[in-house]
Amino acid sequence: MYLADSRTAPGVPDTAGRSPSPGRRAAVPATVFTLGTVSLVTDISSEMVTAVLPLYLVAELGLSPLGFGLLDGIHNGVGALVRLAGGRFADRGPGGHKAVAAVGYGLSALCKPLLLFAHGVPLIGAVLAADRTGKGLRTAPRDAMISLACAPSARGRAFGVHRAMDTAGALIGPLIAFLVLRAAAGGYDAVFTVSGCTAVLGVLILLLFVPGCTASPGHHSAPEGRAPLRAVARRPEVRRLTACAVLLGLATVSDSFLYLTLQRRLDLSEAWFPLLPLGTAGAFLLLAVPLGAVADRFGRRRLFLCGHLALLGAYGVLAAPLGGSPALLCLALALHGSFYAATDGVLAAAAADAVPEAVRGSGLAVVQTGQAAARFACSIAFGAAWAAWGDRTALEAAAAGLAVSAAVSALLLRPSGSPENAGSPEDAQSTKSTKGPAL
C-alpha cells in the first residue's frame, strides 16, 4: 500500500476508474487518505458527543429507555430522510460530490455548540435531527468520491483504509470526552464546546485539501446520470443489497443500547462509561484494512454476512448469564468491533460495484438509506421492548430476529451471474462491467 495520485501513478486507476496494469497491486489514492483525515477529525468530534450522550440523557435528564430509544432513533435515523437527496444532488454538476459533502460536514459542525443551549428533550431532539441531516447529506457523496478514486479491484481495501482512519477518530473522541469530563468544571458543556471546535477543523481540511472532482471528466452529462432515482433503485443488484441491508438493519441494536447494557451487566461507574466505545473502535481499527482486503479477494457479500454473525455473537455474550466478568466486556466489544470492520466499508464497496459511476452517489444513497431507516425502526422497537420486558429479553428478541434476517439474506445474496465485485472469485462468474448499460 502506498500513497499516490490516482490520476498519474502507475498501477493506479485513472479518474475513469480503469484497473491497474496486470500484475501490479492497486494503490490507495491520496484522495482516500485525505477523506480519511477529514473523517478522523470529524469522528473525534462526533464520538465525543456520542460517548457521553446516553449517560447525559438517561442519568442527567432522567429519560426512560423508551424516551432514549426515540431520541437515539432520531440520532441514527433522520439522516435516512436526506441521504437520497444528498446522493442525487452529488451526482449532478461538476464538483457536486465535494460540494454536497461540505454542506453536510458544515451542518453537523454547527450543531455541536447548540447542545450547550438545548437542555430539554424536544430541543435536544431537534439538534440531533439537524446533526444527522448533515451526516445523511455527506455520507453518500464521500463514499462516492472514495469509490471513484480507486480501482474496482481495490475498493474493499480503500474503504477499509478510510474506515480505519475514521475509527481512529472514534477511538480518540471518547478518550478526550473522558478526560474533559474529569478535568473540566463545565462537565458535559465542556465536552460539547471542544467537540464543536474539532468539527470546524474537519470542514476546513475538506475544503482546502480534497480535490473538487474525482470522477472522469464529463461523466455528469452521461445518459445514466439523468436517470430517475427509481431507475437506479430498480437495478437488480441494488435491490438485493438494499433488501439485505434493511432486513439486517431491523435487528441491529444501536451502539448506545449495547453500551448501556454492558454498563448494567458490569455495574460500571458513570465516569468510566465514555470509555466503552474504545473497545469497539479498537477492534474496528485493527480489522478494517485486513478485512477490506479479504472482501476484495473472497467476496464482499460473503464478508458482509459474516460480519452480522459476529454481531449475533455479541448479542449472545450480553444475553448470557455470565455475571460481571471483565472477559464479558472484552469479548462483547471485540465482536462488536469485528461486526463494523466486516460490514461498514464492505457494504459501501459492494454497492459501488452495482452502479455506474455517473449515478454512484445515488446508488450508494439508496442502499445506505434502507439500512439507516431500518436501524431507526430498530432503535424505537428495542427501546419499547426494553421498557416492557427488560434489557435481557429485548436483546434475546433482537438476536432471534438477526438470526432469521441473516438466513434470508444469505439466500438473497447467492451469486446469480451478475458482478459482485471486481477482483474476487465471485466476479469470475460474470464478465459484465460495473459501468453497466445506460439506465
Side-chain angles (χ1 to χ4, degrees), residues 1 15 88 142 156 199 215 260 263 275 294 307 319 332 351 358 388 393 396 405 428:
M1 181 187 306
T15 52
R88 199 58 178 158
R142 180 204 65 203
L260 284 171
Q263 190 221 9
L275 294 182
V294 168
T393 303
E396 291 171 350
S405 297

Side-chain angles (χ1 to χ4, degrees), residues 25-402:
R25 193 180 184 191
V28 175
T31 296
V32 175
F33 284 93
T34 309
L35 287 168
T37 303
V38 174
S39 292
L40 186 154
V41 174
T42 302
D43 230 41
I44 291 175
S45 169
S46 297
E47 293 302 320
M48 286 180 65
V49 174
T50 301
V52 301
L53 194 62
L55 208 59
Y56 177 66
L57 294 173
V58 174
E60 187 85 358
L61 300 184
L63 253 67
S64 67
L66 177 57
F68 176 74
L70 290 171
L71 277 183
D72 191 62
I74 291 172
H75 189 245
N76 291 294
V78 165
L81 301 176
V82 295
R83 287 193 189 206
L84 292 173
R88 199 58 178 158
F89 290 152
D91 286 333
R92 297 175 180 273
H97 294 115
K98 178 179 176 178
V100 175
V103 171
Y105 279 108
L107 180 58
S108 292
L110 287 173
C111 289
K112 300 302 189 298
L114 294 180
L115 288 170
L116 293 168
F117 310 103
H119 298 293
V121 174
L123 287 177
I124 291 176
V127 172
L128 293 179
D131 177 70
R132 293 299 93 179
T133 297
K135 182 174 176 62
L137 283 173
R138 70 180 183 251
T139 300
R142 180 204 65 203
D143 285 351
M145 286 191 282
I146 294 170
S147 70
L148 293 170
C150 62
S153 61
R155 280 189 188 131
R157 189 157 52 94
F159 275 104
V161 168
H162 174 269
R163 293 322 196 246
M165 297 180 72
D166 182 89
T167 305
L171 269 170
I172 298 170
L175 182 59
I176 294 178
F178 172 74
L179 295 174
V180 170
L181 277 179
R182 292 178 68 91
Y188 293 109
D189 286 352
V191 172
F192 299 149
T193 300
V194 176
S195 173
C197 295
T198 306
V200 171
L201 177 60
V203 177
L204 291 175
I205 295 173
L206 174 71
L207 294 175
L208 295 176
F209 298 108
V210 174
C213 185
T214 55
S216 55
H219 87 277
H220 292 287
S221 62
E224 58 264 37
R226 296 189 296 269
L229 188 61
R230 62 180 178 275
V232 179
R234 281 203 302 261
R235 295 179 70 88
E237 288 301 305
V238 173
R239 285 204 310 267
R240 281 146 54 94
L241 280 172
T242 303
C244 292
V246 169
L247 279 173
L248 295 165
L250 286 171
T252 301
V253 177
S254 77
D255 298 357
S256 298
F257 273 125
L258 286 179
Y259 299 145
L260 284 171
T261 303
L262 266 176
Q263 190 221 9
R264 294 191 174 198
R265 290 282 185 276
L266 301 177
D267 196 26
L268 291 176
S269 69
E270 295 181 2
W272 291 99
F273 184 84
L275 294 182
L276 290 179
L278 295 180
T280 295
F284 192 174
L285 177 63
L286 290 174
L287 295 173
V289 176
L291 289 181
V294 168
D296 287 335
R297 185 170 181 182
F298 296 107
R300 292 162 191 160
R301 294 176 296 189
R302 292 190 188 113
L303 190 64
F304 179 68
L305 289 174
C306 288
H308 284 85
L309 296 181
L311 180 62
L312 185 60
Y315 289 175
V317 170
L318 288 174
L322 300 179
S325 168
L328 170 74
L329 173 68
C330 296
L331 182 57
L333 293 178
L335 288 169
H336 196 219
S338 300
F339 155 68
Y340 278 116
T343 59
D344 191 12
V346 172
L347 178 62
D353 298 330
V355 290
E357 70 173 39
V359 288
R360 185 66 48 79
S362 300
L364 286 165
V366 168
V367 177
Q368 293 167 347
T369 296
Q371 183 183 61
R375 290 182 176 180
F376 171 83
C378 183
S379 284
I380 297 175
F382 189 84
W386 184 328
W389 306 325
D391 58 343
R392 190 185 298 274
T393 303
L395 200 59
E396 291 171 350
L402 183 59

